Amino acid sequence: PGVLIERIDGDVTAIAKTFSHFAVDVLSGVLLLLGIFVIMFFESLVAGWVVLIFALVVAGVLIGTRSFAVAASEDERGVSAQLYGFIEERLAAVDDIRANGAGPFVMRRFTAVMRRWFHRGRRAWLKRSVIWVASIGLFSLGSLVALGTGAFLVFGDVITIGTAYLILNYMNKLEQPIEQITNQMQELQKAAAGLSRLRTLFSKVPLVDRSGTRILPSGALSIELDAVTFAYDEAAAVLEDVSLTFAPGRHIGLLGRTGSGKTTITKLLARFYDPDRGTVQIGGLDLRNVTPESLDARIAFVTQDVQLFDGTIRDNVTFFDPSVPDTRVQSALEEIGLGDWIDGLPEGIHTQVGSSGTGISAGQAQLVAFARAYLEDPGLIILDEPSSRVDPATEVIMANAIDRLIQGRTAVIIAHRLDTVRHVDEIVVLSNGIAVEHDERETLAADPTSAFAAMLATARDGVFIDDEEVRL
């Protein structure tokens, strides 16, 4: 996230800074140069031509070096993005870093990133300073040329000493507008690097084509995965030829070890990605043909990492949508089981919450996320380990909230806790991207040879043990 923010904010700021001054500074510099040329030609043709030729030489040098530091500046912007990305992500994880005593490790990593930023920044600055050094040298040479030209014309009785002084003075005055233009050329190189990086960003093509035109039906939605194979980037397949079918209104528990493909299936159902092979159908429609608006309205995804924003509880439930009536928000919160908590707050649903849920517990934050989903009245609910961050007492409240949330809807639940999937209709057990078991929950629980029964037998404190001894 930090890298993306730096690219959007940092690069755009560099471009804005350049173009907010570029036109004014360059135009004023050009006008001053034209005034100097007119006066020089008026006083002496020889002096005028000398000054003009000198200015053209300087302009040629500036033009020749205008892109000299673009690549280095682009590299500098890239490392700067890495630096701010590093800072942003470590600040977000400061509690985990502190709890695990990882401060020294993070500081060593920070030093390494800072070192790269320093060296790349110094290299870019040195390249950009070539223009400045060249202009200083040229102006020193220009003063000598003006002095020599003035002396030659004075000894030839072509001009007076006063005119010679005028030539020298105006030659020195060339430094101001040309330096002005030079500085803008340096800033322009920064802007060019930013433009190049933004062009790269805009040239990215979404992996998912969201040009579908079909609308998902109302009510609970059916699910069908037909020979689905999927891999992230060029890595090995995470899912391999998975075929599953669920009727509308069924509640499905996805179980398996870490890396078995559970979360990947839910991401395909929410169409964060498209499968490499096979099809994913919801409500009888291939998701590739469904409009984004219909997907957003009919499919709700609640992750284990709940994101709350700096705003009121109402803002967090409605995603800052002022058109949603307070009564609907209050009703959604009460339905999820937060009615008493909301009534006990000083300002009810208008009580302020800090970013990342500051001021409320992890369980309350998860229930607020449930209320978000309930408010949309979707046909498919996807829950990714919804009780992974709560204590046993809160887990009971959450289990009841889940029952209310999924009632009358199709639900897909990833869980490691027994209570989370106690009321599901079907169980799917995944192993290495393959669905090794799929049947009614009661059927699998009663079969002592099933992987699900082995999970139940080896569970401790209501938590499935992710162990090689459990046969998957």
Side-chain angles (χ1 to χ4, degrees):
V3 173
L4 185 60
I5 290 170
E6 169 63 15
R7 176 162 294 196
I8 294 172
D9 182 60
D11 291 336
V12 171
T13 300
I15 295 168
K17 180 181 177 183
T18 297
F19 287 103
S20 63
H21 298 283
F22 187 81
V24 175
D25 288 350
V26 171
L27 181 61
S28 62
V30 169
L31 289 175
L32 184 54
L33 283 174
L34 290 176
I36 292 173
F37 295 151
V38 170
I39 293 175
M40 287 293 95
F41 275 105
F42 181 79
E43 290 294 334
S44 168
L45 286 175
V46 175
W49 280 111
V50 168
V51 172
L52 178 58
I53 291 171
F54 172 76
L56 290 175
V57 170
V58 172
V61 172
L62 293 180
I63 293 172
T65 58
R66 71 185 185 279
S67 59
F68 181 69
V70 169
S73 295
E74 187 173 349
D75 197 22
E76 177 191 25
R77 297 298 308 167
V79 177
S80 177
Q82 292 176 16
L83 171 63
Y84 286 105
F86 182 92
I87 294 172
E88 186 272 340
E89 289 163 3
R90 270 60 186 181
L91 286 176
V94 67
D95 290 340
D96 288 335
I97 292 170
R98 208 179 272 165
N100 289 279
F105 169 75
V106 170
M107 290 309 297
R108 286 195 299 273
R109 292 284 305 277
F110 178 65
T111 302
V113 175
M114 280 289 293
R115 186 180 292 112
R116 286 200 303 273
W117 178 73
F118 169 74
H119 288 301
R120 305 287 176 82
R122 182 178 61 181
R123 178 170 170 265
W125 181 86
L126 287 173
K127 287 203 166 190
R128 287 194 297 267
S129 67
V130 166
I131 298 178
W132 177 73
V133 172
S135 65
I136 293 294
L138 287 171
F139 284 123
S140 299
L141 179 61
S143 296
L144 293 175
V145 170
L147 192 60
T149 302
F152 173 76
L153 295 175
V154 167
F155 288 124
D157 291 329
V158 177
I159 61 173
T160 65
I161 293 179
T163 303
Y165 172 76
L166 183 70
I167 293 171
L168 178 62
N169 188 46
Y170 273 99
M171 180 66 85
N172 290 333
K173 280 189 178 295
L174 282 175
E175 183 174 357
Q176 178 188 342
I178 292 180
E179 185 177 352
Q180 219 167 273
I181 296 172
T182 299
N183 290 336
Q184 288 306 311
M185 293 296 290
Q186 288 180 305
E187 292 299 322
L188 189 61
Q189 293 190 73
K190 291 183 183 179
L195 281 170
S196 175
R197 284 164 51 78
L198 286 179
R199 194 179 299 114
T200 301
L201 182 63
F202 283 124
S203 68
K204 296 290 185 184
V205 178
L207 296 175
V208 175
D209 179 10
R210 293 170 69 85
S211 59
T213 58
R214 304 291 298 276
I215 304 297
L216 289 173
S218 59
L221 298 170
S222 63
I223 299 173
E224 181 179 354
L225 280 71
D226 183 14
V228 168
T229 296
F230 176 77
Y232 295 98
D233 299 323
E234 301 299 324
V238 179
L239 296 176
E240 188 70 47
D241 197 31
V242 175
S243 294
L244 297 167
T245 301
F246 308 106
R250 300 292 282 176
H251 303 154
I252 304 100
L254 292 183
L255 306 177
R257 287 198 290 267
T258 300
S260 60
K262 304 186 300 296
T263 299
T264 299
I265 285 181
T266 61
K267 288 181 178 179
L268 292 175
L269 292 176
R271 213 191 169 205
F272 294 167
Y273 302 92
D274 283 332
D276 298 328
R277 293 195 302 274
T279 60
V280 177
Q281 296 187 38
I282 303 291
L285 298 176
D286 188 330
L287 288 186
R288 294 183 178 94
N289 302 324
V290 178
T291 67
E293 295 76 16
S294 182
L295 281 172
D296 295 340
R298 302 291 295 132
I299 300 176
F301 195 156
V302 181
T303 67
Q304 58 182 311
D305 185 16
V306 176
Q307 298 295 329
L308 296 186
F309 305 95
D310 188 4
T312 64
I313 293 173
R314 172 192 153 69
D315 291 335
N316 276 281
V317 173
T318 65
F319 282 117
F320 298 85
D321 184 355
S323 66
V324 180
D326 285 0
T327 52
R328 282 193 61 200
V329 178
Q330 184 77 32
S331 176
L333 289 165
E334 289 175 354
E335 190 66 28
I336 293 302
L338 287 175
D340 293 340
W341 175 62
I342 291 295
D343 293 339
L345 295 175
E347 298 180 61
I349 63 173
H350 298 286
T351 301
Q352 194 75 16
V353 176
S355 60
S356 301
T358 305
I360 65 176
S361 69
Q364 289 165 342
Q366 191 78 57
L367 291 171
V368 169
F370 286 174
R372 285 175 179 166
Y374 187 86
L375 190 67
E376 291 295 324
D377 191 22
L380 170 61
I381 294 280
I382 302 171
L383 304 177
D384 188 353
E385 300 184 9
S387 60
S388 63
R389 303 168 60 221
V390 299
D391 56 80
T394 307
E395 186 181 350
V396 175
I397 300 173
M398 189 164 295
N400 293 329
I402 291 173
D403 289 342
R404 287 192 290 270
L405 179 62
I406 66 178
Q407 186 176 2
R409 301 178 175 92
T410 306
V412 176
I413 304 172
I414 295 176
H416 286 306
R417 292 178 179 271
L418 289 168
D419 284 344
T420 308
V421 292
R422 61 180 177 174
H423 292 157
V424 301
D425 303 309
E426 303 175 44
I427 292 291
V428 175
V429 179
L430 295 165
S431 177
N432 298 319
I434 300 173
V436 296
E437 278 188 358
H438 173 212
D439 210 332
E440 297 288 327
R441 183 186 187 281
E442 291 77 7
T443 302
L444 291 177
D447 182 1
T449 65
S450 71
F452 179 60
M455 287 181 171
L456 294 175
T458 57
R460 287 200 298 265
D461 298 326
V463 180
F464 294 127
I465 304 303
D466 188 8
D467 194 283
E468 292 296 335
E469 295 179 2
V470 179
R471 183 181 63 80
L472 293 181

